[in-house]
Amino acid sequence: MPGHNRFQSIAVVREIESPENPSGLEKRVSVVPQDIGTLLQTGADVYVEEGAGLGVGFSDEEYVKAGAILQPAHEIYRDKDLIIKFKGPSLESVAHMHPGCTLLCMAHFGSFPDRARVLEENKINVIAMEEIVESPKIDPDQAILSRTAMATALQPYLENNSIGGLDVRVLQWSPRTLAAIRRAGNRDPRSLKVIHSDASIEQLDATGPTALYFYDSASTTSDHLIEHLKQTHPNLFDLVDYEKNHGQTAIEKWRETHPPLPFGLRRIQCLHQTGQAGARYGLELLAQNKPNLDVQNAKVVVLGYGNVAQGAMRELSDKGVREINVLGLTHTKSGRIEYWLKDADLIVNGADQPVNLRGRNYLVENRHLEQIIPDGSVIIDLVGGSPTNRSPIEPVLSCTFLTEPHFVTHGVTVSALWGWPMLGMMRETAITYSGQIVDVIAKREMLINGLDSLAPGVQRALVCGPHTV
């Protein structure tokens, strides 16, 4: 029977109906054919359930050609050391797993306590994919450059204690400005906006006549806006100029003074794509609800500035939204958030909260929908939750699903989809997830070596176990 030693048999199982997959509409597969070879190189036997990849265009023949062994549903769980599944299992599937085996999946124990109890009772070791993190944290040079550039731009305002009255404007979202936006949000300016390069000069001036304008001349196409700013606004900061004059030195100094943190970002995730898909759906709903509104001029509010929220900003920018209001911790407090929610057309929540605040503290409350947010407006919640693990958006009692992706309350359309990338990004995100999963198993963290030698970033993701039989 399976123990804690090196895994010798691996099962890749098909997604079926489960608590977070009603009607079985989740079709993604946890490992795609192109990654099977990497698992085989560990010396383990790899079994794939028949039809596992069909929902995203991968045939059984492709898996066989890659070296996997096909098995039907009634055999796939039998005598396997490691079972890989994308979403959490159905309760019926748990009964087919051998005590002491290890299940690697998006477990979400806090949202599905009944299933967690069954897995514990059946002595199934569970590693939650969503809890595996980098160890140590990885900081790419580009992120350090962007972060230190914004820190330099803000330094005078921090030194004279005027940051609380500062309006920060980032001209055009891009991967190079991502970390700068995050750093600005962390420093709590009075306001933080992302301005599209297609904005008019009049719109630009209206966003803050004395604002700090941060831009990247290497990635923006708004030359006319930049020329206008150079003539009329004294507070300009170009990432390219900073990179040329200080970039390499700043990166080296940052690394010298900031040793890597023991833990970093999620290793298995498509958080950026989650934000993209959610914002895209929000714009579609807004166009349906307010057909006379030019969505490019919509009042859009994004709560948070992490990976998920940045994906939403990217999509909103790609779709031409001219002004994105980005809210940080203090902006979302009761008494302040009302200013931003008033007359908002689209609200995208990418701000998560600690477990102890879930169900106790809400950023967007029911009273806001009743009294402040206009009828026909749209709320997209990218964080989600369940009755036992509530979202910061009070009207979201539980995640929505593809079977009924949104609902209307107090005249406002709300969506908190479980698995946002399923909206048009299934195949591409399946490929992304597969590469990350196989990297954790067979490369960087070497999960294949078993539970006795878990890497630190995986050890914290062992949410059930270790059990031996």
Side-chain angles (χ1 to χ4, degrees), residues 1-10 42 44 80-83 99-102 125 127 441 446-454 466-469:
M1 300 292 277
H4 286 179
N5 296 324
R6 186 179 178 87
F7 298 125
Q8 297 296 329
S9 58
I10 300 174
T42 66
K80 304 302 189 304
D81 296 340
L82 178 64
I83 299 166
C101 73
T102 297
N125 299 302
I127 297 176
I441 294 173
M446 290 300 294
L447 174 59
I448 192 69
N449 288 332
L451 301 186
D452 287 338
S453 55
L454 292 179
H467 298 292
T468 58
V469 177

Side-chain angles (χ1 to χ4, degrees), residues 330-339 365 367-368:
T330 59
H331 303 113
T332 55
K333 289 182 177 179
S334 181
R336 289 195 65 181
I337 194 172
E338 288 79 6
Y339 171 83
E365 303 174 21
R367 65 181 180 87
H368 295 147

Side-chain angles (χ1 to χ4, degrees), residues 189-243:
R190 181 171 68 177
S191 68
L192 172 59
K193 296 179 186 285
V194 178
I195 308 299
H196 196 274
S197 59
D198 286 342
S200 67
I201 289 177
E202 292 74 21
Q203 289 172 316
L204 184 70
D205 289 342
T207 66
T210 61
L212 166 66
Y213 286 90
F214 185 99
Y215 66 97
D216 174 29
S217 57
S219 59
T220 183
T221 58
S222 53
D223 293 341
H224 68 293
L225 294 184
I226 293 175
E227 287 305 313
H228 171 73
L229 288 172
K230 288 180 178 179
Q231 296 173 20
T232 59
H233 292 73
N235 306 320
L236 307 181
F237 197 98
D238 184 3
L239 178 59
V240 168
D241 287 343
Y242 177 82
E243 184 175 19

Side-chain angles (χ1 to χ4, degrees), residues 252-273:
E252 292 173 359
K253 182 178 179 180
W254 193 93
R255 289 196 182 280
E256 289 174 0
T257 56
H258 294 77
L261 295 174
F263 298 107
L265 302 177
R266 280 176 55 174
R267 287 282 285 113
I268 301 175
Q269 51 86 11
C270 280
L271 300 177
H272 200 78
Q273 293 90 333

Side-chain angles (χ1 to χ4, degrees), residues 303-453:
L303 281 59
Y305 35 79
N307 290 341
V308 175
Q310 294 281 352
M313 293 179 214
R314 178 177 189 168
E315 185 68 21
L316 293 167
S317 293
D318 287 348
K319 292 297 188 292
V321 174
R322 294 193 172 98
E323 182 177 317
I324 304 168
N325 298 284
V326 183
L327 307 191
L329 183 63
T330 59
H331 303 113
T332 55
K333 289 182 177 179
S334 181
R336 289 195 65 181
I337 194 172
E338 288 79 6
Y339 171 83
W340 301 102
L341 298 182
K342 183 179 180 181
D343 300 326
D345 297 302
L346 174 61
I347 301 160
V348 181
N349 176 50
D352 203 352
Q353 293 193 118
V355 173
N356 64 305
L357 291 180
R358 283 195 163 219
R360 298 183 179 183
N361 182 63
Y362 298 103
L363 306 181
V364 178
E365 303 174 21
N366 287 325
R367 65 181 180 87
H368 295 147
L369 279 71
E370 296 176 21
Q371 303 169 10
I372 299 176
I373 302 172
D375 288 354
S377 294
V378 176
I379 298 175
I380 297 295
D381 179 26
L382 302 174
V383 175
S386 71
T388 58
N389 194 33
R390 290 286 296 278
S391 162
I393 308 301
E394 189 174 12
V396 176
L397 301 178
S398 184
C399 280
T400 56
F401 301 95
L402 284 179
T403 48
E404 193 173 346
H406 67 267
F407 59 92
V408 178
T409 180
H410 302 296
V412 178
T413 301
V414 182
S415 184
L417 193 66
W418 191 286
W420 280 106
M422 289 191 292
L423 282 175
M425 295 184 179
M426 276 200 185
R427 182 180 171 93
E428 63 189 87
T429 53
I431 294 171
T432 298
Y433 275 119
S434 175
Q436 295 169 346
I437 290 168
V438 169
D439 194 55
V440 167
I441 294 173
K443 294 183 179 179
R444 197 181 310 176
E445 286 82 4
M446 290 300 294
L447 174 59
I448 192 69
N449 288 332
L451 301 186
D452 287 338
S453 55

Side-chain angles (χ1 to χ4, degrees), residues 129-200:
M129 288 182 187
E130 74 276 12
E131 300 292 340
I132 300 174
V133 296
E134 299 169 339
S135 182
K137 183 179 180 181
I138 300 170
D139 288 294
D141 284 356
Q142 182 57 65
I144 296 173
L145 175 69
S146 182
R147 183 186 306 138
T148 56
M150 179 60 81
T152 300
L154 295 176
Q155 189 61 34
Y157 305 95
L158 292 168
E159 290 177 351
N160 64 21
N161 200 31
S162 63
I163 189 75
L166 177 65
D167 297 311
V168 178
R169 304 293 178 256
V170 177
L171 188 57
Q172 189 61 39
W173 186 96
S174 78
R176 282 169 54 87
T177 61
L178 185 156
I181 294 170
R182 186 175 298 167
R183 175 46 57 101
N186 282 331
R187 292 299 178 264
D188 195 25
R190 181 171 68 177
S191 68
L192 172 59
K193 296 179 186 285
V194 178
I195 308 299
H196 196 274
S197 59
D198 286 342
S200 67

